[in-house]
């Protein structure tokens, strides 16, 4: 109703329509050529902007110009890498500008208005929460099993530098994402219903299990964790965390009053996971058994 009222008002104030298209630009480069005729519907014998078509066009425009912000990270040398500001469509301003162009006898281009999207994690936050290591765990694997080692590396990279804010929940499946060939995962042995079989992404359960033990040592509240139906060689009995895209997940909640930083790295035949936070946090660590090299 609001959109219809605005279009009628524009018609009263600017009754002369032009037939030329509206060229929409972003950073002075054309990104769309919008036909006025395609966005109009008959209304009271006069052309009126179709609000549904306009919203669809605006959604497409937002997808074209959206730039995701990049969080700050810590590189392998321990240095903080600055994040990057993202950008999204300023919808309110865009509506106002588009309506003026739509009902105005002008051939001027319409430059897309944007607003900044700040990174969730910046350098200042990272420098604060990297000070105290509250949990760590390492497990070992046979690096000669190339496909499995490759999958472990991908999953380790996916959780590395992830920050969980106070009261926030971490989901391994959500953070790592679906394990597919398109995303680089390879077929490797995995346990399904007690049987060893080949599956895309085989080996990532070692990453989730290593993360679980590091998190448990840090005294963090585990929400969801399941063991394999068969004993695994890389952690002590009952200390594993099986995950599957369409099945079990490993989740935990940050029960501390400061963010948690996860650091994860594959080195040779080892996978390391460390948990950091601010030095102001008083932790309640748990006793978790370690593993010895050569278990697999």
């Amino acid at each position: 109703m609001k959109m219809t009222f605005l279009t009628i008002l524009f018609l009263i104030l600017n009754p002369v329509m032009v037939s030329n298209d509206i060229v929409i630009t972003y950073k002075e480069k054309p990104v769309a050529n919008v036909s006025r005729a395609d966005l109009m519907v008959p209304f009271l014998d006069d052309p009126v902007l179709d609000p549904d078509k306009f919203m669809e066009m605006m959604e497409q425009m937002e997808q074209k110009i959206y730039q995701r912000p990049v969080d700050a990270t810590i590189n392998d040398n321990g240095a903080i890498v600055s994040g990057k500001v993202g950008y999204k469509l300023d919808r309110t301003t865009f509506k106002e500008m588009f309506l003026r162009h739509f009902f105005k006898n002008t051939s001027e281009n319409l430059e897309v208005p944007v607003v900044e999207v700040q990174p969730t994690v910046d350098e200042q936050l990272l420098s604060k929460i990297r000070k105290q290591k509250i949990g760590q765990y390492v497990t070992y694997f046979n690096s000669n099993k190339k496909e499995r080692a490759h999958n472990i590396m991908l999953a380790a990279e996916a959780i590395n530098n992830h920050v969980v804010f106070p009261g926030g929940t971490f989901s391994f499946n959500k953070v790592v994402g679906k394990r597919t060939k398109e995303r680089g995962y390879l077929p490797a042995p995995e346990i399904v219903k007690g049987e060893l079989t080949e599956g895309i992404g085989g080996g990532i359960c070692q990453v989730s299990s290593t993360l679980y033990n590091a998190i448990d040592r840090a005294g963090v509240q585990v929400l969801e964790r399941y063991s394999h139906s068969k004993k695994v060689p890389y952690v002590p009995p009952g200390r594993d965390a099986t995950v599957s895209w369409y099945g079990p997940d490993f989740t935990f909640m940050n029960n501390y009053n400061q963010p948690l930083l996860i650091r994860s790295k594959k080195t040779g035949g080892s996978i390391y996971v460390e948990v950091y936070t601010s030095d102001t946090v008083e932790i309640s660590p748990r006793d978790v058994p370690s593993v010895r090299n050569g278990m697999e």
Side-chain angles (χ1 to χ4, degrees):
M1 290 298 293
K2 183 178 180 181
M3 179 69 71
T4 303
F5 172 77
L6 288 174
T7 56
I8 294 174
L9 179 62
F10 271 101
L11 281 170
I12 294 173
L13 298 177
N14 304 275
V16 179
M17 290 291 297
V18 292
S19 59
N20 60 299
D21 296 344
I22 299 174
V23 178
I24 300 178
T25 60
Y26 178 54
K27 296 182 179 179
E28 300 183 350
K29 295 181 179 180
V31 292
N33 196 354
V34 180
S35 170
R36 286 181 170 87
D38 290 342
L39 296 182
M40 293 189 301
V41 292
F43 187 81
L44 297 178
D45 298 324
D46 287 313
V48 174
L49 181 66
D50 186 319
D52 293 331
K53 292 179 180 179
F54 174 74
M55 290 300 296
E56 182 180 355
M57 182 272 292
M58 190 163 59
E59 292 283 351
Q60 295 173 355
M61 195 60 53
E62 187 158 44
Q63 292 176 13
K64 285 185 177 181
I65 61 95
Y66 177 73
Q67 296 180 42
R68 184 187 301 275
V70 178
D71 287 341
T73 58
I74 300 175
N75 64 22
D76 292 342
N77 297 321
I80 294 180
V81 180
S82 300
K84 295 181 180 179
V85 173
Y87 297 93
K88 68 178 181 179
L89 180 68
D90 184 341
R91 288 188 165 225
T92 300
T93 303
F94 181 76
K95 286 180 183 179
E96 296 172 354
M97 294 175 63
F98 187 87
L99 285 173
R100 284 199 297 269
H101 276 68
F102 192 83
F103 293 103
K104 187 177 180 182
N105 188 4
T106 178
S107 59
E108 294 178 358
N109 294 345
L110 170 58
E111 176 70 12
V112 175
V114 296
V115 291
E116 291 186 350
V117 182
Q118 297 297 326
T120 304
V121 179
D122 58 21
E123 302 96 304
Q124 184 177 4
L125 176 64
L126 276 187
S127 64
K128 177 182 178 182
I129 64 174
R130 67 181 298 182
K131 293 184 177 180
Q132 180 181 194
K133 181 162 63 176
I134 62 175
Q136 62 178 344
Y137 207 77
V138 57
T139 62
Y140 307 93
F141 58 90
N142 186 347
S143 59
N144 292 323
K145 297 179 179 179
K146 301 299 183 181
E147 293 81 5
R148 190 173 186 278
H150 176 78
N151 294 337
I152 288 174
M153 177 194 68
L154 289 182
E157 289 177 349
I159 66 172
N160 186 40
N161 280 307
H162 192 83
V163 174
V164 187
F165 288 87
T169 299
F170 175 98
S171 161
F172 188 90
N173 281 338
K174 182 178 180 180
V175 172
V176 175
K178 193 173 184 179
R179 282 69 81 178
T180 64
K181 289 182 179 180
E182 292 73 20
R183 299 185 65 237
Y185 287 92
L186 302 174
E190 62 180 2
I191 298 173
V192 178
K193 296 181 179 180
E195 299 295 331
L196 193 62
T197 184
E198 285 277 317
I200 299 297
I204 67 165
C205 288
Q206 182 158 351
V207 179
S208 56
S209 297
T210 309
L211 174 62
Y212 159 59
N213 283 279
I215 285 295
D216 203 25
R217 272 186 173 171
V220 176
Q221 182 180 352
V222 174
L223 299 178
E224 184 180 6
R225 196 271 304 184
Y226 304 93
S227 287
H228 289 80
S229 52
K230 184 178 181 180
K231 181 181 176 182
V232 295
Y234 44 80
V235 289
R239 300 300 309 176
D240 57 321
T242 182
V243 291
S244 173
W245 183 251
Y246 294 109
D249 194 5
F250 168 57
T251 65
F252 63 83
M253 184 183 74
N254 179 4
N255 50 306
Y256 292 116
N257 63 357
Q258 292 291 330
L260 299 176
L261 168 66
I262 298 171
R263 298 280 287 145
S264 176
K265 181 174 65 174
K266 169 194 166 294
T267 303
S270 306
I271 166 77
Y272 295 84
V273 175
E274 299 170 326
V275 184
Y276 291 84
T277 190
S278 166
D279 55 7
T280 62
V281 173
E282 294 184 7
I283 69 167
S284 303
R286 299 189 183 99
D287 185 20
V288 174
S290 301
V291 295
R292 57 183 177 83
N293 196 351
M295 290 190 69
E296 183 185 9

